[in-house]
């Protein structure tokens, strides 16, 4: 998938005007290519996949590939109440909502991971301007061989199936929820991009009139932890008779607690693909139907709006009792036009300068995906500046530098989920070139893991210097291996905790006030604020101060000095007593750099952590149930598990190996991609919302003992042969367990002393995944593999609808198929493919067009057969009409 392809429904004259005005359209977002080198996909690395409607009807949590390793577990957090005095623009309306439809770490088709060992992935850092996040990139369905994807070919040369449904990345959902943002999955239909998949497959009803696919979508969302669905229905038409059923389907989702946004592409009266570019009587019933009531929550308007259309949209929404700020979203083609938008969001402002409708953007990840050299660590600072420019209007955080683009913050107020009585940030943006713990490098390897991203700094950047002096520069410092923006010359010192710290740098000629976080933090009589900083430049008379505003006087900045902070030195933690402000609520939290009597040239101070505590203990309990799920030593991978404590108690978990950081998340599982240690101790610690750390749960391991690295081979006769290099003691247990299938199959045996192999029989020959575990008395060692696939289910003749000499073929409901060869008296029929890529002598999964499934036969007496082929090359032939005799 690239971008939404829009077709005008206006007059030819209007089209001509549009084409003339938009003659130069920027390039579309480029694909995220498979990572190479150390970042290349691990042999057993969990990833997401797409879904067809048939996949959903088969879906169960236990049978979904990696369904146990790709869940979001952070619950949606409440946001603090708006306070206009804290807003960058007090005139903006905080009720105006924002949706971003974009890629996550990238838009990879087979590599959508919760986390990875690659710094240069895209890490979204502007949750504070977002209410809804939904993913926009295709995902291959489960089972598609990755060898089918050739990234060097044109994007129309992807000869495999993408699911009509792709889920939000679980890491992104966790980060969204932490910031009070709802996360949505994406359903997409068009005549090209999803092959034969069509909306009508969603609308199948059972004997009770219910919608089984809708029920599965609700179950799926609850299992994976996201909040609803964005539906992009862009096939040429929806049958008029199907419109009421489609709305009833949507209503099942919404009434089940799902948030539903529908795209402005279907005429409510005719079912034709039609872009209204406004909210009116033609599309509004897809949100509020006169008979059914509310069937969805909101609509993403197509992009060709105008001032008058957006004004009429507001008025129409109000006329039917809807709030346009929450139900009508003016669409912006971010990826297509980038900073040169032909449609100006100023047209969405009323006479008071306040947005009339919500805002939705497609492809705002272009700031990274369309950047030359996006895979290069040295170029990531450019992505940060492009992203800042998109969201705030300024790449540097200062004056606007995009003449045609004011930034989302010109229309959307800042949001925050930082409430309560405690707060902790280490300025962790979710990736790093090393992982640092308490100022010391704990793991030198690069990483990306948005699961452990801190609250983004609310205002990036808001720095005011007294007396009109030039303000200090602000940046994230990722250490000496990173490349900083060209305009900076600061000394890179990196993180105190995580991957980055905040650096204040420049000539300090006057007091500087840096506003950082929007909060609603209650101060108690035992509250303390800890600031961990490092004064890098030479000792001087400057002073770092905490800068706070309170709800009862939001215009007054209260400064609490950090004694001795002008002295050069290493990481230092200063604890400030806030008990004198007990009973008040902190609504903004920032810092001030006081200059002293003279200008400080080349000033640099890094801030590594800010923590608010309330005097109570929020230290989590020692984790329980810590165990090795699988030690995949032959591929240097590890899977760990434990019991998940409630999010009220634990913000995240961190896993260490012999003191070195391995990874973390708020989850009950962790996949480790590079694990080469042979002996030591694994530690699991729970981290509280105030940064406190639990006592560790531990696992001692020793992989230097038998059996060594395990391998296995599955044969066509149902035997699985397991081998290992070191002779094992008597009674060593060897077990094969099926994975990700409806019915678990377990085979186990014991071997004699000195054995180096075992054979287990009676196992499936229909494909699927398995886990081998060998326990020789020490640390169990494992191997993951796939059963032999020697069978394919014949194509059911009942799937063919025959009317005279016209045959309508339906695609199989089984997941195990790749091509269908249809022959009339032994002669192959041909089938058109998507993107006008030519006819093929077979139906190919994911690329044959829907209309091509209807075929006329040359003779009424001919024999018609269908041969099904699966990805393993197995075939079976079904006669769907026998030749006439006599």
């Amino acid at each position: 998938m690239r971008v939404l392809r829009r077709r005008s429904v206006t007059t030819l004259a209007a089209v001509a005007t549009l084409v003339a005005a938009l003659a130069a359209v920027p390039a579309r977002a480029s694909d995220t290519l498979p990572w190479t080198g150390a970042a290349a996909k691990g042999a057993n690395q969990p990833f997401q996949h797409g879904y067809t409607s048939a996949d959903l009807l088969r879906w169960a949590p236990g049978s979904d590939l990696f369904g146990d390793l790709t869940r979001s577990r952070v619950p949606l957090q409440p946001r603090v109440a708006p306070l206009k005095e804290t807003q960058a623009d007090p005139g903006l309306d905080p009720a105006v909502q924002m949706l971003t439809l974009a890629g996550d770490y990238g838009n990879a088709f087979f590599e959508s991971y919760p986390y990875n060992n690659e710094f240069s992935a895209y890490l979204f850092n502007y949750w504070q301007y977002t209410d809804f996040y939904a993913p926009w990139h295709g995902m291959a369905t489960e089972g598609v061989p990755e060898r089918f994807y050739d990234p060097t070919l044109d994007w129309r040369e992807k000869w495999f199936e993408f699911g009509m449904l792709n889920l939000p990345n679980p890491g992104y959902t966790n980060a969204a929820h932490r910031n009070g943002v709802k996360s949505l999955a994406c359903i997409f239909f068009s005549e090209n991009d999803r092959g034969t998949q069509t909306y009508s497959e969603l609308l199948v009803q059972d004997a009770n009139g219910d919608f089984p696919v809708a029920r599965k979508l609700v179950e799926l969302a609850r299992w994976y932890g996201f909040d609803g669905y964005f539906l992009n229905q862009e096939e040429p038409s929806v049958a008029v008779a199907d419109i009421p059923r489609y709305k009833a389907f949507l209503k099942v989702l919404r009434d089940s607690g799902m948030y539903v946004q529908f795209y402005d592409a279907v005429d409510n009266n005719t079912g034709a693909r039609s872009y209204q570019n406004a909210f009116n009587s033609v599309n509004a019933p897809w949100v509020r139907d006169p008979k059914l009531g509310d069937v969805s929550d909101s609509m993403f308007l197509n992009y060709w709006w105008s001032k008058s259309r957006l004004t009429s949209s507001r008025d129409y929404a109000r006329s039917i009792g809807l709030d346009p700020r929450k139900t009508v979203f003016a669409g912006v083609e971010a990826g297509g036009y980038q900073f040169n938008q032909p449609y100006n969001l100023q047209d969405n402002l009323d006479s008071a300068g306040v947005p009339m409708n919500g805002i939705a953007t497609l492809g705002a990840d272009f700031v990274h995906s369309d950047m030359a050299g996006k895979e290069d660590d040295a170029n990531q600072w450019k992505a940060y500046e492009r992203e800042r420019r998109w969201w705030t209007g300024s790449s540097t955080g200062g004056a606007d530098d995009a003449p045609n683009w004011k930034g989302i913050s010109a229309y959307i107020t800042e949001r925050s989920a930082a409430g309560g009585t405690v707060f902790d940030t280490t300025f962790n943006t979710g990736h790093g070139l090393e992982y640092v713990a308490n100022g010391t490098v704990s793991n030198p390897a690069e990483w990306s893991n948005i699961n452990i991203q801190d609250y983004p700094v609310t205002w990036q950047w808001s720095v005011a210097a007294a007396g009109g002096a030039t303000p200090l520069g602000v940046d994230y410092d990722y250490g000496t291996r990173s490349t900083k923006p060209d305009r900076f010359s600061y000394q890179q010192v990196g993180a105190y905790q995580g991957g980055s710290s905040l650096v204040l740098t420049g000539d300090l000629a006057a007091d500087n006030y840096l506003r950082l976080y929007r909060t609603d933090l209650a101060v108690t009589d035992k509250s303390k604020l800890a600031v961990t900083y490092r004064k890098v430049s030479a000792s001087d008379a400057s002073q770092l101060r905490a800068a706070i505003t309170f709800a009862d006087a939001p215009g007054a900045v209260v400064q609490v000095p950090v004694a001795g902070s002008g002295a050069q030195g290493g990481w230092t933690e200063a604890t400030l007593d806030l008990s004198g402000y007990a009973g008040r609520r902190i609504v903004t939290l920032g810092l001030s750099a006081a200059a002293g009597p003279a200008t400080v040239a080349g000033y640099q101070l890094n801030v590594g952590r800010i923590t608010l505590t309330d005097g109570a203990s929020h230290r989590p309990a020692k984790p329980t149930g810590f165990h090795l799920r699988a030690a995949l030593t032959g591929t240097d991978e590890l899977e760990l598990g434990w019991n998940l404590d409630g999010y009220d108690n634990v913000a995240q978990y961190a896993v260490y190996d012999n003191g070195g950081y391995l990874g973390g998340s708020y989850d009950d599982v962790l996949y480790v991609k590079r694990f080469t240690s042979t002996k030591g101790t694994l530690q699991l610690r729970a981290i509280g919302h105030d940064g406190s750390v639990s006592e560790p749960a531990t696992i001692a391991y020793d992989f230097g003992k038998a059996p060594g690295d395990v391998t296995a081979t599955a044969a066509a006769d149902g035997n699985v042969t397991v081998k290992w290099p070191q002779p094992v003691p008597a009674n060593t247990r060897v077990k094969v367990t099926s994975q990700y299938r409806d019915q678990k199959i377990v085979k186990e045996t014991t071997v004699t002393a000195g054995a180096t192999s075992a054979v287990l029989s009676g196992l499936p020959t229909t494909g699927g995944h398995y886990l081998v575990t060998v326990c020789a008395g020490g640390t169990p060692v494992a191997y993951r593999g796939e059963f032999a696939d020697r069978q394919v289910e014949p194509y059911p003749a009942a799937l063919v609808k025959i009317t005279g000499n016209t045959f309508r073929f339906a695609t199989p409901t089984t997941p195990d198929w790749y091509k269908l060869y249809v022959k009339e008296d032994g002669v192959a029929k041909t089938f058109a493919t998507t993107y006008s890529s030519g006819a093929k002598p077979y139906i190919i999964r994911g690329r044959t067009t829907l209309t091509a499934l209807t075929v006329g036969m040359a003779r009424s007496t001919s024999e018609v057969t269908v041969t099904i082929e699966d990805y393993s090359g197995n075939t079976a032939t079904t006669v769907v009409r026998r030749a006439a005799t006599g």
Side-chain angles (χ1 to χ4, degrees):
M1 284 301 303
R2 309 294 284 205
V3 299
L4 297 176
R5 293 170 185 81
R6 302 290 169 246
R7 294 166 178 79
S8 177
V9 292
T10 56
T11 65
L12 290 176
V15 171
T17 302
L18 179 68
V19 171
L22 308 180
V25 178
R28 297 184 177 113
S30 59
D31 293 345
T32 298
L33 301 180
W35 296 110
T36 59
K41 189 175 189 177
N44 300 283
Q45 188 164 6
F47 66 97
Q48 295 178 291
H49 60 84
Y51 301 79
T52 67
S53 298
D55 293 334
L56 290 173
L57 291 174
R58 291 188 299 269
W59 182 84
S63 62
D64 201 8
L65 180 64
F66 298 128
D68 52 343
L69 291 162
T70 55
R71 300 174 69 188
S72 167
R73 310 304 293 272
V74 175
L76 181 67
Q77 296 301 290
R79 283 178 155 173
V80 305
L83 183 64
K84 70 176 182 178
E85 291 85 354
T86 66
Q87 295 174 191
D89 182 351
L92 289 180
D93 183 353
V96 177
Q97 292 189 337
M98 166 71 195
L99 175 140
T100 180
L101 183 63
D104 39 68
Y105 292 113
N107 59 357
F109 306 133
F110 295 92
E111 298 181 310
S112 184
Y113 312 134
Y115 36 80
N116 198 26
N117 60 331
E118 175 56 52
F119 175 70
S120 62
Y122 176 54
L123 278 296
F124 181 56
N125 254 291
Y126 289 87
W127 299 108
Q128 64 269 35
Y129 299 113
T130 307
D131 296 289
F132 306 97
Y133 164 77
W136 186 253
H137 63 76
M139 291 185 189
T141 51
E142 182 180 343
V144 171
E146 293 183 42
R147 66 179 184 275
F148 286 7
Y149 175 42
D150 184 345
T152 67
L153 296 179
D154 181 83
W155 60 272
R156 286 163 291 208
E157 295 298 315
K158 297 177 176 65
W159 291 95
F160 53 86
E161 182 180 60
F162 289 91
M164 61 86 192
L165 168 67
N166 65 274
L167 308 187
N169 183 284
Y172 265 65
T173 297
N174 278 336
H177 281 179
R178 189 175 299 111
N179 287 277
V181 176
K182 288 187 175 182
S183 180
L184 312 179
C186 182
I187 294 173
F188 176 48
F189 293 106
S190 79
E191 70 270 37
N192 272 316
D193 302 289
R194 296 298 180 261
T196 61
Q197 295 175 71
T198 179
Y199 76 90
S200 61
E201 295 168 336
L202 300 177
L203 309 186
V204 174
Q205 293 175 273
D206 62 19
N208 298 318
D210 201 6
F211 295 91
V213 175
R215 298 299 176 188
K216 284 293 185 179
L217 287 169
V218 173
E219 187 182 356
L220 188 84
R222 289 174 178 164
W223 173 259
Y224 284 110
F226 58 91
D227 307 289
Y229 294 90
F230 173 82
L231 280 93
N232 184 16
Q233 174 59 48
E234 282 198 282
E235 293 175 90
S237 65
V238 171
V240 172
D242 287 340
I243 292 175
R245 284 200 303 144
Y246 208 145
K247 292 178 187 174
F249 166 85
L250 297 175
K251 187 172 175 61
V252 170
L253 296 178
R254 187 178 184 278
D255 289 352
S256 299
M258 299 290 102
Y259 181 91
V260 179
Q261 184 168 103
F262 199 76
Y263 183 61
D264 164 30
V266 185
D267 186 310
N268 180 67
N269 302 310
T270 68
R273 181 170 56 202
S274 172
Y275 308 108
Q276 297 300 302
N277 310 294
F279 191 67
N280 56 32
S281 61
V282 176
N283 57 16
W286 289 99
V287 178
R288 174 164 286 178
D289 182 81
K291 294 181 179 179
L292 294 175
D294 290 344
V295 298
S296 66
D297 293 277
S298 59
M299 178 163 286
F300 185 129
L301 297 186
N302 191 51
Y303 312 107
W304 307 331
W305 36 257
S306 62
K307 179 78 170 183
S308 61
R309 283 175 169 171
L310 292 179
T311 302
S312 67
S313 296
R314 175 199 63 188
D315 295 342
Y316 188 81
R318 288 176 175 175
S319 75
I320 60 173
L322 295 174
D323 184 344
R325 302 168 300 176
K326 299 178 180 180
T327 57
V328 181
F329 287 69
V332 176
E333 180 84 85
Y337 301 111
Q338 303 184 7
F339 297 109
N340 299 300
Q341 292 291 320
Y343 300 98
N344 195 335
L345 280 173
Q346 296 286 298
D347 288 341
N348 193 35
L349 302 181
D350 63 17
S351 59
V354 176
M356 297 180 287
N357 307 284
I359 298 170
T361 62
L362 169 69
D365 57 315
F366 79 88
V367 298
H368 186 272
S369 65
D370 274 6
M371 185 182 72
K374 63 184 178 184
E375 299 89 359
D376 189 345
D377 292 346
N379 287 326
Q380 298 313 300
W381 69 270
K382 300 175 185 177
Y384 311 150
E385 302 221 328
R386 285 161 58 87
E387 183 182 44
R388 190 176 300 118
R389 183 182 181 190
W390 177 257
W391 291 93
T392 73
S394 169
S395 60
T396 64
D400 290 353
D401 57 9
N404 300 319
W405 181 249
K406 292 181 175 293
I408 296 298
S409 65
Y411 312 100
I412 301 294
T413 60
E414 313 86 335
R415 289 86 152 98
S416 173
T421 59
V422 298
F423 174 86
D424 182 54
T425 180
T426 61
F427 302 98
N428 184 349
T429 62
H431 62 164
L433 287 161
E434 58 192 11
Y435 189 90
V436 180
N438 297 321
T440 301
V441 175
S442 179
N443 189 327
E446 61 185 273
W447 56 278
S448 57
N449 185 1
I450 203 169
N451 291 279
I452 62 172
Q453 181 189 68
D454 287 324
Y455 293 124
V457 172
T458 307
W459 296 281
Q460 299 182 36
W461 305 107
S462 175
V463 190
T470 300
L472 293 172
V474 186
D475 196 22
Y476 289 114
D477 181 351
Y478 292 92
T480 56
R481 292 164 55 196
S482 68
T483 301
K484 58 181 178 288
D486 295 340
R487 67 182 183 278
F488 288 126
S489 58
Y490 62 82
Q491 178 185 337
Q492 292 167 287
V493 300
Y496 171 73
Q497 183 74 31
S500 51
S501 64
L502 193 74
V503 58
L504 286 66
T505 181
D507 292 339
L508 184 60
D511 290 2
N512 276 243
Y513 169 44
L514 172 62
R515 192 162 65 148
L516 293 173
Y517 296 101
R518 171 70 171 95
T519 66
D520 186 11
L521 298 167
V523 182
T524 73
D525 59 0
K526 294 182 180 178
S527 290
K528 296 184 185 300
L529 187 71
V531 180
T532 302
Y533 68 94
R534 179 174 175 178
K535 181 63 168 27
V536 179
S537 56
S539 298
D540 53 47
S542 67
Q543 186 179 65
L544 179 67
R545 299 169 181 171
I548 299 167
T549 65
F550 293 100
D552 54 7
V557 179
V558 176
Q559 299 194 12
V560 185
V562 177
S565 52
Q568 185 181 47
W571 289 111
T572 303
E573 180 182 297
T575 301
L576 310 178
D577 186 358
L578 299 186
S579 61
Y581 306 104
R584 304 179 74 180
R585 306 188 73 85
I586 299 171
V587 292
T588 70
L589 178 60
L591 298 167
S592 176
T599 296
V600 179
Y603 175 86
Q604 180 182 341
L605 184 140
N606 285 59
V607 185
R609 187 169 212 157
I610 299 177
T611 303
L612 177 70
T613 56
D614 60 3
S617 174
H618 296 273
R619 188 186 191 193
K622 177 181 175 180
T624 61
F626 189 32
H627 64 283
L628 276 171
R629 288 169 46 104
L632 305 165
T633 60
T635 51
D636 296 334
E637 297 167 290
L638 197 65
E639 295 174 16
L640 300 166
W642 56 87
N643 297 327
L644 186 67
D645 201 351
Y647 191 70
D648 287 346
N649 303 321
V650 176
Q652 62 177 271
Y653 291 88
V655 177
Y656 294 83
D657 172 45
N658 293 324
Y661 183 77
L662 289 181
S665 179
Y666 179 72
D667 204 343
D668 59 1
V669 292
L670 183 74
Y671 164 81
V672 181
K673 183 175 180 177
R674 292 286 181 265
F675 187 83
T676 57
S677 179
T678 57
K679 184 178 182 179
T681 302
L682 294 163
Q683 291 186 328
L684 171 69
R685 295 180 182 270
I687 301 172
H689 292 278
D690 61 349
S692 57
V693 180
S694 75
E695 288 294 319
T698 61
I699 299 173
Y701 64 90
D702 185 353
F703 298 124
K705 298 179 180 179
D709 297 341
V710 173
T711 60
T713 305
D717 60 1
N719 288 344
V720 172
T721 302
V722 183
K723 296 181 178 180
W724 54 90
Q726 300 177 32
V728 295
N731 298 318
T732 290
R733 299 192 311 276
V734 181
K735 181 166 67 173
V736 176
T737 306
S738 64
Q739 303 277 285
Y740 308 118
R741 58 193 301 141
D742 293 331
Q743 183 178 3
K744 180 172 282 191
I745 300 170
V746 180
K747 298 287 184 178
E748 187 170 0
T749 188
T750 57
V751 297
T752 59
T756 57
S757 67
V759 177
L760 296 97
S761 59
L763 290 160
T765 57
T766 54
H769 299 259
Y770 65 81
L771 175 70
V772 169
T773 304
V774 179
C775 185
T779 307
V781 180
Y783 174 86
R784 287 194 179 277
E786 293 187 31
F787 293 119
D789 183 5
R790 295 294 181 266
Q791 301 177 44
V792 63
E793 181 181 334
Y795 180 82
L799 291 180
V800 186
K801 182 179 180 181
I802 304 174
T803 305
N805 220 28
T806 300
F807 285 55
R808 170 75 177 178
F809 294 91
T811 54
T813 58
T814 174
D816 186 29
W817 76 281
Y818 174 37
K819 294 177 181 177
L820 299 176
Y821 299 85
V822 179
K823 294 183 178 181
E824 182 182 16
D825 287 337
V827 178
K829 309 299 288 187
T830 60
F831 300 86
T833 56
T834 57
Y835 306 119
S836 302
S837 299
K840 300 289 184 182
Y842 43 73
I843 297 168
I844 181 170
R845 186 171 178 175
R847 289 301 304 270
T848 297
T849 65
L850 180 63
T851 56
L853 294 180
T854 300
V855 180
M857 298 300 166
R859 295 170 300 281
S860 61
T861 58
S862 58
E863 180 180 81
V864 178
T865 61
V866 179
T867 298
I868 188 171
E869 179 185 357
D870 66 14
Y871 291 130
S872 297
N874 301 306
T875 61
T877 299
T878 301
V879 178
V880 296
R881 185 177 72 182
R882 297 192 178 277
T885 59

